[in-house]
Amino acid sequence: MWINNIHTIFVLLPFLRLKFLKVELLEELIENHKKFSKMVVKPCAEVKGEVTVSGSKNSALPLLASALLVEELILENFPLLLDTLYALKILKILGKDIELNPTLKRVRIYGEIKRIKVPYELSSRFRGSILFLGGLLGAGGKAVISHPGGCAIGARPIDQHLKFLSHLGANLTLKGGYINASLPKEVKNSNFVFDVVTVTGTENALLTLAGLEGEFTLENVALEPEVFDLLDFLRKLGIKILTHGRTLKISVPPKGGLKRRLTHRVIPDRIEAGTFLVLGSLLGNPLKVSGLNTDHLGVLLEKLEEAGVTLKILTPTEVEVFRSLPPKGLFIETAPYPGFPTDMQAQFMAMLSVARGSSVIVEKIFENRFQHALELVRMGANIKIKGNTAVIEGVKKLVGAPVKATDLRASASLVIAGLIAEGQTEISEIYHLLRGYEDMDKKLTFLGCHAELI
Ligand code: EPU
Protein backbone atom coordinates (compact mmCIF):
# COMPACT_ATOMS: atom_id res chain seq x y z
CA MET A 1 0.00 0.00 0.00
CA TRP A 2 2.73 2.42 1.07
CA ILE A 3 4.83 1.48 -1.93
CA ASN A 4 1.82 2.02 -4.15
CA ASN A 5 1.25 5.52 -2.79
CA ILE A 6 4.88 6.45 -3.17
CA HIS A 7 4.72 5.13 -6.69
CA THR A 8 1.62 7.23 -7.43
CA ILE A 9 3.27 10.34 -6.01
CA PHE A 10 6.31 9.81 -8.23
CA VAL A 11 4.13 9.27 -11.26
CA LEU A 12 2.12 12.41 -10.47
CA LEU A 13 5.04 14.57 -9.33
CA PRO A 14 5.99 15.97 -12.73
CA PHE A 15 2.36 17.04 -13.29
CA LEU A 16 1.95 18.54 -9.81
CA ARG A 17 5.23 20.41 -10.12
CA LEU A 18 4.25 21.51 -13.59
CA LYS A 19 1.12 23.18 -12.28
CA PHE A 20 2.92 25.00 -9.45
CA LEU A 21 5.76 25.94 -11.72
CA LYS A 22 3.35 27.47 -14.20
CA VAL A 23 1.94 29.83 -11.56
CA GLU A 24 5.40 30.90 -10.47
CA LEU A 25 6.40 31.23 -14.07
CA LEU A 26 3.85 33.97 -14.62
CA GLU A 27 5.35 36.09 -11.80
CA GLU A 28 8.85 35.26 -12.97
CA LEU A 29 8.08 36.32 -16.53
CA ILE A 30 6.58 39.60 -15.33
CA GLU A 31 9.63 40.28 -13.15
CA ASN A 32 11.93 39.40 -16.06
CA HIS A 33 10.25 42.10 -18.12
CA LYS A 34 10.08 44.68 -15.35
CA LYS A 35 13.72 44.48 -14.32
CA PHE A 36 14.93 46.42 -17.39
CA SER A 37 14.98 50.19 -17.40
CA LYS A 38 16.73 51.00 -20.68
CA MET A 39 17.62 49.73 -24.10
CA VAL A 40 21.04 50.51 -25.51
CA VAL A 41 20.92 50.67 -29.29
CA LYS A 42 24.01 50.94 -31.46
CA PRO A 43 24.19 51.84 -35.15
CA CYS A 44 23.42 48.83 -37.31
CA ALA A 45 24.95 48.58 -40.79
CA GLU A 46 22.30 46.24 -42.12
CA VAL A 47 19.57 43.80 -41.11
CA LYS A 48 19.81 40.59 -43.02
CA GLY A 49 17.99 37.31 -42.71
CA GLU A 50 14.55 36.49 -41.42
CA VAL A 51 12.43 37.69 -38.55
CA THR A 52 9.18 36.01 -37.53
CA VAL A 53 6.29 38.09 -36.29
CA SER A 54 4.63 37.10 -32.99
CA GLY A 55 0.95 36.80 -32.20
CA SER A 56 -0.99 40.06 -32.04
CA LYS A 57 -1.13 41.81 -28.68
CA ASN A 58 -4.35 43.60 -29.55
CA SER A 59 -5.97 40.33 -30.59
CA ALA A 60 -4.69 38.36 -27.62
CA LEU A 61 -6.17 40.85 -25.10
CA PRO A 62 -9.86 40.50 -26.11
CA LEU A 63 -9.32 36.75 -26.51
CA LEU A 64 -7.98 36.59 -22.95
CA ALA A 65 -11.07 38.45 -21.74
CA SER A 66 -13.21 35.96 -23.68
CA ALA A 67 -11.61 33.13 -21.67
CA LEU A 68 -14.16 34.17 -19.02
CA LEU A 69 -16.97 33.00 -21.33
CA VAL A 70 -15.83 29.36 -21.42
CA GLU A 71 -14.63 26.55 -19.14
CA GLU A 72 -11.41 26.11 -21.07
CA LEU A 73 -9.64 28.22 -23.66
CA ILE A 74 -6.36 27.29 -25.29
CA LEU A 75 -4.65 30.10 -27.18
CA GLU A 76 -1.91 29.30 -29.67
CA ASN A 77 0.60 31.76 -31.14
CA PHE A 78 0.22 33.57 -27.83
CA PRO A 79 2.53 36.63 -27.48
CA LEU A 80 4.40 36.79 -24.18
CA LEU A 81 4.62 40.46 -23.34
CA LEU A 82 3.89 42.62 -20.34
CA ASP A 83 0.29 43.45 -21.32
CA THR A 84 -0.67 39.81 -21.92
CA LEU A 85 1.11 38.69 -18.75
CA TYR A 86 -0.82 41.28 -16.73
CA ALA A 87 -4.03 40.10 -18.40
CA LEU A 88 -3.22 36.52 -17.34
CA LYS A 89 -2.67 37.79 -13.81
CA ILE A 90 -6.14 39.37 -13.88
CA LEU A 91 -7.61 36.04 -15.01
CA LYS A 92 -5.86 34.33 -12.08
CA ILE A 93 -7.27 36.89 -9.64
CA LEU A 94 -10.74 36.29 -11.08
CA GLY A 95 -10.30 32.58 -10.30
CA LYS A 96 -9.08 31.01 -13.54
CA ASP A 97 -6.20 28.54 -13.61
CA ILE A 98 -3.42 29.19 -16.08
CA GLU A 99 -0.95 26.87 -17.74
CA LEU A 100 1.59 28.67 -19.81
CA ASN A 101 4.04 27.08 -22.18
CA PRO A 102 6.42 29.83 -23.32
CA THR A 103 8.28 27.52 -25.70
CA LEU A 104 5.17 26.44 -27.56
CA LYS A 105 3.63 29.94 -27.23
CA ARG A 106 0.55 28.31 -25.84
CA VAL A 107 -1.62 29.17 -22.87
CA ARG A 108 -4.45 27.16 -21.34
CA ILE A 109 -6.98 29.06 -19.22
CA TYR A 110 -9.53 26.96 -17.41
CA GLY A 111 -11.79 26.69 -14.37
CA GLU A 112 -14.59 28.71 -12.84
CA ILE A 113 -14.80 32.46 -12.21
CA LYS A 114 -14.62 33.07 -8.45
CA ARG A 115 -14.45 36.86 -8.30
CA ILE A 116 -15.78 39.76 -10.41
CA LYS A 117 -13.49 42.62 -9.35
CA VAL A 118 -10.53 43.66 -11.48
CA PRO A 119 -8.20 45.53 -9.13
CA TYR A 120 -6.79 48.96 -9.89
CA GLU A 121 -3.19 47.78 -9.33
CA LEU A 122 -3.45 45.64 -12.46
CA SER A 123 -5.98 47.40 -14.65
CA SER A 124 -4.09 50.70 -14.30
CA ARG A 125 -1.09 49.07 -15.97
CA PHE A 126 -2.63 48.63 -19.41
CA ARG A 127 -5.61 50.13 -21.22
CA GLY A 128 -6.67 46.79 -22.69
CA SER A 129 -7.77 45.74 -19.20
CA ILE A 130 -11.09 47.49 -19.92
CA LEU A 131 -11.95 44.38 -21.99
CA PHE A 132 -12.52 42.47 -18.76
CA LEU A 133 -15.62 44.63 -18.31
CA GLY A 134 -17.22 42.94 -21.34
CA GLY A 135 -15.70 39.55 -20.48
CA LEU A 136 -17.17 39.54 -16.97
CA LEU A 137 -20.56 40.86 -18.11
CA GLY A 138 -20.73 38.25 -20.86
CA ALA A 139 -19.81 35.52 -18.43
CA GLY A 140 -22.04 36.35 -15.47
CA GLY A 141 -23.77 39.71 -15.97
CA LYS A 142 -21.76 41.54 -13.28
CA ALA A 143 -18.40 43.35 -13.22
CA VAL A 144 -16.44 45.69 -11.01
CA ILE A 145 -13.48 47.27 -12.77
CA SER A 146 -11.43 50.37 -12.16
CA HIS A 147 -12.02 53.22 -14.60
CA PRO A 148 -8.94 53.33 -16.86
CA GLY A 149 -8.63 57.15 -16.91
CA GLY A 150 -6.48 58.92 -19.51
CA CYS A 151 -3.01 57.97 -20.70
CA ALA A 152 0.09 59.35 -22.39
CA ILE A 153 -1.46 59.42 -25.87
CA GLY A 154 -4.66 61.22 -24.91
CA ALA A 155 -7.84 61.30 -22.83
CA ARG A 156 -9.03 57.98 -24.25
CA PRO A 157 -12.59 58.12 -22.92
CA ILE A 158 -14.74 54.98 -22.54
CA ASP A 159 -18.07 56.80 -22.88
CA GLN A 160 -19.04 54.59 -25.85
CA HIS A 161 -18.45 51.39 -23.87
CA LEU A 162 -20.69 52.73 -21.10
CA LYS A 163 -23.28 54.22 -23.47
CA PHE A 164 -23.71 50.79 -25.06
CA LEU A 165 -24.25 49.20 -21.64
CA SER A 166 -26.76 51.89 -20.60
CA HIS A 167 -28.57 51.33 -23.88
CA LEU A 168 -28.95 47.66 -22.98
CA GLY A 169 -30.43 48.79 -19.64
CA ALA A 170 -27.39 47.94 -17.51
CA ASN A 171 -27.07 49.38 -14.06
CA LEU A 172 -23.86 51.43 -13.92
CA THR A 173 -22.35 53.26 -10.98
CA LEU A 174 -18.93 54.83 -10.46
CA LYS A 175 -17.65 54.65 -6.91
CA GLY A 176 -14.11 55.04 -5.59
CA GLY A 177 -12.74 54.99 -9.12
CA TYR A 178 -14.45 51.67 -9.88
CA ILE A 179 -17.23 51.04 -12.37
CA ASN A 180 -19.89 48.70 -10.99
CA ALA A 181 -21.90 47.21 -13.84
CA SER A 182 -24.71 44.71 -13.90
CA LEU A 183 -26.89 43.63 -16.79
CA PRO A 184 -30.69 43.71 -16.55
CA LYS A 185 -32.77 40.50 -16.68
CA GLU A 186 -34.22 41.69 -19.99
CA VAL A 187 -32.34 44.03 -22.28
CA LYS A 188 -34.03 47.32 -23.20
CA ASN A 189 -32.65 47.75 -26.73
CA SER A 190 -31.07 45.30 -29.09
CA ASN A 191 -29.72 47.83 -31.60
CA PHE A 192 -26.80 50.15 -30.87
CA VAL A 193 -25.00 52.70 -33.04
CA PHE A 194 -21.52 53.80 -31.92
CA ASP A 195 -20.96 57.57 -32.18
CA VAL A 196 -17.25 56.97 -32.90
CA VAL A 197 -15.46 53.93 -34.27
CA THR A 198 -13.82 52.30 -31.28
CA VAL A 199 -11.82 49.06 -31.27
CA THR A 200 -12.10 47.97 -27.62
CA GLY A 201 -15.59 49.54 -27.46
CA THR A 202 -16.73 47.18 -30.25
CA GLU A 203 -14.94 44.25 -28.60
CA ASN A 204 -16.48 45.00 -25.20
CA ALA A 205 -19.96 45.11 -26.76
CA LEU A 206 -19.36 41.75 -28.47
CA LEU A 207 -18.08 40.14 -25.27
CA THR A 208 -21.10 41.43 -23.34
CA LEU A 209 -23.59 40.22 -25.96
CA ALA A 210 -22.04 36.73 -25.88
CA GLY A 211 -23.77 36.27 -22.52
CA LEU A 212 -27.21 37.43 -23.69
CA GLU A 213 -29.62 35.30 -25.68
CA GLY A 214 -31.25 36.93 -28.72
CA GLU A 215 -30.73 38.99 -31.85
CA PHE A 216 -28.65 42.18 -31.73
CA THR A 217 -27.34 44.78 -34.15
CA LEU A 218 -24.23 46.89 -33.69
CA GLU A 219 -23.64 49.76 -36.12
CA ASN A 220 -20.55 51.85 -36.87
CA VAL A 221 -18.26 49.17 -35.44
CA ALA A 222 -14.48 48.93 -35.77
CA LEU A 223 -13.29 46.58 -38.53
CA GLU A 224 -9.70 46.06 -37.36
CA PRO A 225 -8.34 42.54 -38.02
CA GLU A 226 -8.20 42.13 -34.23
CA VAL A 227 -11.99 42.66 -34.06
CA PHE A 228 -12.39 40.04 -36.79
CA ASP A 229 -10.22 37.63 -34.80
CA LEU A 230 -12.68 38.01 -31.91
CA LEU A 231 -15.60 37.53 -34.33
CA ASP A 232 -13.99 34.29 -35.54
CA PHE A 233 -13.62 33.12 -31.95
CA LEU A 234 -17.27 33.98 -31.14
CA ARG A 235 -18.45 32.13 -34.25
CA LYS A 236 -16.51 29.05 -33.12
CA LEU A 237 -18.27 29.44 -29.79
CA GLY A 238 -21.63 29.10 -31.58
CA ILE A 239 -22.69 32.73 -32.06
CA LYS A 240 -23.92 33.67 -35.52
CA ILE A 241 -22.49 36.97 -36.75
CA LEU A 242 -23.11 38.60 -40.12
CA THR A 243 -21.04 41.59 -41.20
CA HIS A 244 -22.23 44.23 -43.62
CA GLY A 245 -19.90 47.21 -43.85
CA ARG A 246 -19.65 48.63 -40.33
CA THR A 247 -22.81 46.79 -39.21
CA LEU A 248 -22.86 43.49 -37.32
CA LYS A 249 -25.95 41.28 -36.94
CA ILE A 250 -25.45 38.99 -33.97
CA SER A 251 -27.54 36.01 -33.01
CA VAL A 252 -26.75 34.44 -29.64
CA PRO A 253 -28.27 31.01 -28.91
CA PRO A 254 -29.88 30.23 -25.52
CA LYS A 255 -27.52 29.59 -22.58
CA GLY A 256 -26.13 26.09 -22.86
CA GLY A 257 -26.03 26.37 -26.65
CA LEU A 258 -22.47 27.66 -26.68
CA LYS A 259 -19.28 25.60 -26.70
CA ARG A 260 -17.47 25.36 -23.34
CA ARG A 261 -13.99 24.36 -24.54
CA LEU A 262 -12.13 25.93 -27.40
CA THR A 263 -8.72 26.28 -29.02
CA HIS A 264 -7.93 29.41 -31.00
CA ARG A 265 -4.83 30.66 -32.81
CA VAL A 266 -4.04 34.35 -32.33
CA ILE A 267 -3.54 36.24 -35.63
CA PRO A 268 -0.08 37.67 -36.43
CA ASP A 269 0.73 41.10 -35.04
CA ARG A 270 0.33 43.45 -38.01
CA ILE A 271 1.92 46.33 -36.09
CA GLU A 272 5.02 44.31 -35.25
CA ALA A 273 5.13 43.23 -38.92
CA GLY A 274 4.86 46.88 -39.98
CA THR A 275 7.59 47.90 -37.53
CA PHE A 276 10.03 45.36 -39.02
CA LEU A 277 9.04 46.34 -42.57
CA VAL A 278 9.91 49.96 -41.78
CA LEU A 279 13.22 48.84 -40.30
CA GLY A 280 13.88 46.70 -43.38
CA SER A 281 13.19 49.66 -45.67
CA LEU A 282 16.08 51.48 -43.99
CA LEU A 283 18.50 48.62 -43.31
CA GLY A 284 17.23 45.47 -45.08
CA ASN A 285 19.85 43.69 -47.11
CA PRO A 286 17.30 42.15 -47.54
CA LEU A 287 15.10 41.43 -44.52
CA LYS A 288 12.47 38.73 -44.75
CA VAL A 289 9.52 39.33 -42.44
CA SER A 290 7.61 36.10 -42.02
CA GLY A 291 4.60 34.82 -40.09
CA LEU A 292 2.59 37.90 -41.08
CA ASN A 293 -0.70 38.19 -42.94
CA THR A 294 -0.41 40.44 -46.01
CA ASP A 295 -4.21 40.86 -46.08
CA HIS A 296 -3.90 42.93 -42.89
CA LEU A 297 -1.09 45.14 -44.21
CA GLY A 298 -2.71 46.78 -47.28
CA VAL A 299 -2.17 50.46 -46.57
CA LEU A 300 1.22 49.90 -44.92
CA LEU A 301 2.59 48.08 -47.96
CA GLU A 302 1.11 50.80 -50.22
CA LYS A 303 2.75 53.59 -48.21
CA LEU A 304 6.12 51.83 -48.20
CA GLU A 305 5.92 51.40 -51.98
CA GLU A 306 4.93 55.05 -52.35
CA ALA A 307 8.08 55.90 -50.40
CA GLY A 308 10.04 54.00 -53.04
CA VAL A 309 10.74 50.94 -50.90
CA THR A 310 11.34 47.68 -52.76
CA LEU A 311 9.12 44.92 -51.39
CA LYS A 312 8.76 41.37 -52.59
CA ILE A 313 5.62 39.57 -51.50
CA LEU A 314 6.91 36.00 -51.45
CA THR A 315 3.78 34.37 -50.05
CA PRO A 316 0.72 35.67 -48.13
CA THR A 317 2.79 35.22 -44.94
CA GLU A 318 6.25 36.39 -46.08
CA VAL A 319 7.49 39.73 -47.37
CA GLU A 320 11.05 40.57 -48.28
CA VAL A 321 12.07 44.20 -47.91
CA PHE A 322 15.14 45.89 -49.35
CA ARG A 323 16.97 48.91 -48.03
CA SER A 324 15.81 51.82 -50.19
CA LEU A 325 17.67 54.93 -49.07
CA PRO A 326 16.69 57.66 -48.85
CA PRO A 327 12.95 56.99 -48.87
CA LYS A 328 10.66 59.55 -50.51
CA GLY A 329 8.60 61.90 -48.34
CA LEU A 330 4.98 60.90 -47.67
CA PHE A 331 1.63 62.33 -46.68
CA ILE A 332 0.03 60.14 -44.02
CA GLU A 333 -3.29 60.55 -42.26
CA THR A 334 -4.21 58.02 -39.60
CA ALA A 335 -7.71 56.50 -39.67
CA PRO A 336 -9.61 53.46 -38.43
CA TYR A 337 -8.88 50.25 -40.38
CA PRO A 338 -8.56 49.87 -43.33
CA GLY A 339 -6.97 53.34 -43.08
CA PHE A 340 -3.41 53.99 -41.95
CA PRO A 341 -3.04 52.73 -38.34
CA THR A 342 -2.24 55.22 -35.61
CA ASP A 343 -0.09 52.45 -34.13
CA MET A 344 2.33 52.77 -37.10
CA GLN A 345 2.56 56.55 -37.24
CA ALA A 346 5.60 56.82 -34.92
CA GLN A 347 7.66 54.19 -36.77
CA PHE A 348 6.96 55.89 -40.12
CA MET A 349 7.97 59.20 -38.56
CA ALA A 350 11.39 57.73 -37.71
CA MET A 351 11.74 56.59 -41.32
CA LEU A 352 10.56 59.92 -42.76
CA SER A 353 13.08 61.78 -40.57
CA VAL A 354 15.74 60.70 -43.07
CA ALA A 355 13.56 60.90 -46.20
CA ARG A 356 14.19 62.97 -49.29
CA GLY A 357 12.11 66.17 -49.00
CA SER A 358 9.25 66.85 -46.67
CA SER A 359 6.50 64.69 -45.21
CA VAL A 360 3.28 65.38 -43.35
CA ILE A 361 1.64 63.13 -40.77
CA VAL A 362 -1.86 63.98 -39.57
CA GLU A 363 -2.91 62.08 -36.43
CA LYS A 364 -6.69 61.75 -36.50
CA ILE A 365 -7.25 59.10 -33.78
CA PHE A 366 -5.47 60.28 -30.63
CA GLU A 367 -4.95 63.92 -29.67
CA ASN A 368 -1.55 63.57 -28.03
CA ARG A 369 0.38 61.01 -30.00
CA PHE A 370 3.40 63.00 -31.15
CA GLN A 371 5.62 62.80 -28.09
CA HIS A 372 8.13 60.66 -29.98
CA ALA A 373 8.62 63.61 -32.35
CA LEU A 374 10.28 65.61 -29.57
CA GLU A 375 12.64 62.72 -28.86
CA LEU A 376 13.43 62.28 -32.56
CA VAL A 377 14.26 66.01 -32.70
CA ARG A 378 16.79 65.40 -29.93
CA MET A 379 18.39 62.90 -32.31
CA GLY A 380 18.69 65.52 -35.05
CA ALA A 381 15.33 65.13 -36.83
CA ASN A 382 13.64 68.24 -38.21
CA ILE A 383 9.99 67.95 -37.13
CA LYS A 384 7.49 70.71 -36.44
CA ILE A 385 4.23 69.94 -34.69
CA LYS A 386 1.10 72.04 -35.02
CA GLY A 387 -1.99 70.59 -33.42
CA ASN A 388 -2.52 67.13 -34.86
CA THR A 389 -0.11 67.67 -37.77
CA ALA A 390 3.59 66.93 -37.92
CA VAL A 391 5.73 68.34 -40.72
CA ILE A 392 8.97 66.44 -41.19
CA GLU A 393 11.85 67.79 -43.26
CA GLY A 394 14.17 64.90 -44.07
CA VAL A 395 17.74 65.21 -42.73
CA LYS A 396 20.84 63.35 -43.94
CA LYS A 397 21.40 61.51 -40.67
CA LEU A 398 20.24 61.08 -37.09
CA VAL A 399 22.64 61.12 -34.17
CA GLY A 400 22.37 58.82 -31.16
CA ALA A 401 21.27 60.40 -27.86
CA PRO A 402 19.70 59.53 -24.54
CA VAL A 403 15.95 59.55 -25.23
CA LYS A 404 12.77 58.62 -23.41
CA ALA A 405 10.10 56.18 -24.55
CA THR A 406 6.77 57.91 -23.99
CA ASP A 407 4.43 55.16 -25.16
CA LEU A 408 4.59 51.76 -26.77
CA ARG A 409 4.82 52.72 -30.43
CA ALA A 410 6.97 55.76 -29.60
CA SER A 411 9.51 53.34 -28.14
CA ALA A 412 9.55 51.34 -31.39
CA SER A 413 10.21 54.51 -33.39
CA LEU A 414 13.17 55.32 -31.13
CA VAL A 415 14.59 51.82 -31.59
CA ILE A 416 14.41 52.28 -35.37
CA ALA A 417 15.96 55.75 -35.09
CA GLY A 418 18.73 54.40 -32.83
CA LEU A 419 19.62 51.64 -35.28
CA ILE A 420 20.03 54.08 -38.21
CA ALA A 421 21.67 56.87 -36.18
CA GLU A 422 25.34 57.64 -35.78
CA GLY A 423 26.54 56.83 -32.26
CA GLN A 424 24.82 55.15 -29.35
CA THR A 425 21.21 55.71 -28.28
CA GLU A 426 19.92 54.93 -24.80
CA ILE A 427 16.16 54.62 -24.55
CA SER A 428 14.82 55.00 -21.01
CA GLU A 429 11.37 53.94 -19.71
CA ILE A 430 11.75 50.92 -21.96
CA TYR A 431 8.91 49.07 -20.21
CA HIS A 432 6.67 50.71 -22.81
CA LEU A 433 8.34 48.60 -25.52
CA LEU A 434 8.12 45.44 -23.42
CA ARG A 435 4.38 45.99 -22.98
CA GLY A 436 3.74 45.28 -26.63
CA TYR A 437 6.69 43.76 -28.51
CA GLU A 438 7.73 40.18 -27.83
CA ASP A 439 11.51 39.64 -27.69
CA MET A 440 12.31 42.73 -29.74
CA ASP A 441 15.88 42.76 -28.36
CA LYS A 442 16.45 39.09 -29.19
CA LYS A 443 14.96 39.43 -32.66
CA LEU A 444 17.21 42.42 -33.42
CA THR A 445 20.27 40.67 -32.03
CA PHE A 446 19.49 37.66 -34.22
CA LEU A 447 19.42 40.02 -37.22
CA GLY A 448 22.92 41.24 -36.35
CA CYS A 449 22.11 44.49 -34.50
CA HIS A 450 23.01 45.64 -31.01
CA ALA A 451 19.82 46.31 -29.02
CA GLU A 452 20.50 45.44 -25.42
CA LEU A 453 18.11 45.65 -22.48
CA ILE A 454 19.80 46.83 -19.29
N1 EPU B 1 -13.14 56.99 -28.18
C1 EPU B 1 -14.15 57.74 -27.61
N2 EPU B 1 -14.99 57.12 -26.73
C2 EPU B 1 -14.87 55.79 -26.42
C3 EPU B 1 -13.85 55.04 -27.01
C4 EPU B 1 -12.99 55.66 -27.89
O1 EPU B 1 -14.29 58.92 -27.88
O2 EPU B 1 -15.67 55.32 -25.62
C5 EPU B 1 -12.23 57.63 -29.13
C6 EPU B 1 -10.78 57.63 -28.64
O3 EPU B 1 -10.52 58.72 -27.79
C7 EPU B 1 -10.02 57.70 -29.93
C8 EPU B 1 -10.87 56.89 -30.90
O4 EPU B 1 -12.17 56.83 -30.30
O5 EPU B 1 -10.00 59.02 -30.38
C9 EPU B 1 -10.40 55.47 -31.14
O6 EPU B 1 -10.09 54.82 -29.93
P1 EPU B 1 -10.31 53.27 -29.72
O7 EPU B 1 -11.37 53.07 -28.69
O8 EPU B 1 -10.49 52.60 -31.04
O9 EPU B 1 -8.93 52.82 -29.09
P2 EPU B 1 -8.76 51.66 -28.05
O10 EPU B 1 -9.77 50.63 -28.32
O11 EPU B 1 -8.65 52.23 -26.69
C10 EPU B 1 -7.19 50.17 -29.52
C11 EPU B 1 -5.81 49.60 -29.38
C12 EPU B 1 -4.79 50.73 -29.52
C13 EPU B 1 -4.99 51.41 -30.89
C14 EPU B 1 -6.44 51.89 -31.02
C15 EPU B 1 -6.75 52.47 -32.38
C16 EPU B 1 -6.14 47.69 -27.96
C17 EPU B 1 -5.93 47.06 -26.63
N3 EPU B 1 -5.68 48.96 -28.11
O12 EPU B 1 -7.33 51.10 -28.45
O13 EPU B 1 -3.51 50.15 -29.47
O14 EPU B 1 -4.12 52.50 -31.02
O15 EPU B 1 -7.35 50.80 -30.79
O16 EPU B 1 -6.51 51.55 -33.37
O17 EPU B 1 -6.66 47.08 -28.86
C18 EPU B 1 -1.18 50.10 -29.10
O18 EPU B 1 -1.22 48.88 -29.32
O19 EPU B 1 -0.12 50.75 -29.02
C19 EPU B 1 -2.44 50.84 -28.94
C20 EPU B 1 -2.50 52.02 -28.36
Side-chain angles (χ1 to χ4, degrees):
M1 180 69 178
W2 184 80
I3 293 201
N4 257 348
N5 278 345
I6 286 282
H7 178 76
T8 316
I9 285 171
F10 271 104
V11 170
L12 284 178
L13 197 61
F15 298 99
L16 293 174
R17 282 193 58 225
L18 205 66
K19 193 166 169 197
F20 286 121
L21 265 180
K22 298 294 174 201
V23 177
E24 285 165 15
L25 190 62
L26 186 55
E27 291 300 332
E28 200 181 301
L29 286 167
I30 291 175
E31 285 315 310
N32 270 347
H33 280 77
K34 278 173 42 185
K35 70 183 180 204
F36 299 111
S37 58
K38 285 184 185 168
M39 184 182 257
V40 176
V41 182
K42 292 191 179 165
C44 193
E46 60 176 21
V47 288
K48 201 172 174 170
E50 182 172 349
V51 64
T52 304
V53 169
S54 298
S56 157
K57 163 182 90 77
N58 288 348
S59 230
L61 292 174
L63 290 168
L64 286 172
S66 71
L68 295 170
L69 304 174
V70 290
E71 264 166 43
E72 180 191 72
L73 172 64
I74 295 173
L75 289 178
E76 295 171 344
N77 198 30
F78 180 72
L80 277 178
L81 15 110
L82 260 182
D83 276 15
T84 55
L85 291 170
Y86 285 137
L88 286 177
K89 209 167 161 186
I90 290 178
L91 285 168
K92 263 212 78 57
I93 287 171
L94 298 179
K96 289 279 186 180
D97 281 310
I98 314 283
E99 275 179 18
L100 189 59
N101 189 324
T103 320
L104 291 181
K105 307 276 181 220
R106 196 169 183 269
V107 64
R108 175 174 171 243
I109 305 143
Y110 59 102
E112 296 299 315
I113 299 172
K114 301 188 184 104
R115 284 166 286 276
I116 57 153
K117 182 171 175 176
V118 181
Y120 173 76
E121 301 73 64
L122 277 170
S123 56
S124 57
R125 290 174 194 267
F126 67 112
R127 294 280 313 186
S129 60
I130 193 63
L131 292 161
F132 285 96
L133 173 62
L136 281 165
L137 290 174
K142 281 188 183 353
V144 182
I145 186 163
S146 82
H147 192 294
C151 80
I153 60 176
R156 300 187 78 179
I158 54 159
D159 58 295
Q160 294 300 304
H161 305 230
L162 301 180
K163 192 173 172 189
F164 161 75
L165 293 176
S166 300
H167 201 68
L168 283 181
N171 185 17
L172 294 171
T173 54
L174 182 67
K175 200 173 160 199
Y178 280 86
I179 301 161
N180 281 259
S182 57
L183 292 180
K185 283 217 165 58
E186 280 205 16
V187 296
K188 271 208 304 208
N189 300 291
S190 55
N191 186 10
F192 182 73
V193 187
F194 286 97
D195 298 328
V196 290
V197 174
T198 153
V199 175
T200 50
T202 303
E203 291 164 345
N204 250 339
L206 287 164
L207 290 165
T208 305
L209 293 179
L212 295 167
E213 181 190 336
E215 313 280 325
F216 304 94
T217 306
L218 294 176
E219 291 181 56
N220 200 26
V221 298
L223 299 174
E224 268 64 6
E226 296 76 24
V227 175
F228 271 84
D229 202 16
L230 180 64
L231 293 183
D232 281 346
F233 167 84
L234 294 171
R235 287 187 180 116
K236 280 192 209 163
L237 203 63
I239 298 173
K240 289 201 179 76
I241 305 167
L242 295 175
T243 55
H244 182 72
R246 289 201 182 270
T247 300
L248 299 177
K249 296 238 178 260
I250 301 147
S251 171
V252 189
K255 275 228 166 7
L258 296 179
K259 279 218 180 106
R260 304 299 298 152
R261 288 165 193 277
L262 257 149
T263 299
H264 187 85
R265 192 173 170 78
V266 180
I267 58 167
D269 196 312
R270 67 191 164 105
I271 304 301
E272 188 197 359
T275 304
F276 277 111
L277 288 173
V278 167
L279 180 64
S281 69
L282 298 165
L283 294 175
N285 195 17
L287 174 67
K288 184 161 137 189
V289 188
S290 61
L292 47 71
N293 183 342
T294 48
D295 286 350
H296 299 163
L297 296 172
V299 69
L300 292 181
L301 298 178
E302 277 168 29
K303 280 291 170 194
L304 286 172
E305 276 175 345
E306 197 184 319
V309 175
T310 307
L311 297 167
K312 259 196 214 159
I313 302 190
L314 304 174
T315 69
T317 63
E318 295 167 313
V319 177
E320 210 165 40
V321 54
F322 296 76
R323 167 168 42 197
S324 315
L325 285 175
K328 290 184 209 148
L330 291 176
F331 175 83
I332 290 174
E333 194 171 90
T334 64
Y337 190 86
F340 188 96
T342 172
D343 291 348
M344 279 303 301
Q345 175 257 102
Q347 301 87 317
F348 267 71
M349 191 181 283
M351 175 181 101
L352 296 173
S353 295
V354 290
R356 202 173 336 126
S358 35
S359 302
V360 174
I361 298 181
V362 186
E363 172 56 57
K364 299 273 251 196
I365 306 288
F366 294 115
E367 66 274 22
N368 190 28
R369 211 176 191 179
F370 278 146
Q371 293 181 59
H372 45 277
L374 306 175
E375 301 301 303
L376 290 170
V377 166
R378 300 190 59 253
M379 296 178 72
N382 181 353
I383 307 170
K384 303 256 175 332
I385 306 286
K386 201 164 179 208
N388 68 344
T389 303
V391 179
I392 306 135
E393 295 296 339
V395 294
K396 285 233 152 39
K397 60 170 195 213
L398 296 178
V399 182
V403 285
K404 189 167 83 177
T406 46
D407 73 69
L408 166 56
R409 307 305 170 186
S411 62
S413 80
L414 297 174
V415 173
I416 294 171
L419 291 169
I420 59 167
E422 241 175 38
Q424 179 169 302
T425 297
E426 266 189 38
I427 309 169
S428 58
E429 311 219 356
I430 201 64
Y431 70 90
H432 284 293
L433 184 80
L434 307 179
R435 277 191 39 225
Y437 285 92
E438 185 180 54
D439 292 338
M440 176 68 109
D441 58 322
K442 295 192 186 77
K443 289 183 183 183
L444 289 171
T445 306
F446 181 76
L447 293 176
C449 299
H450 184 108
E452 189 190 359
L453 288 169
I454 55 169

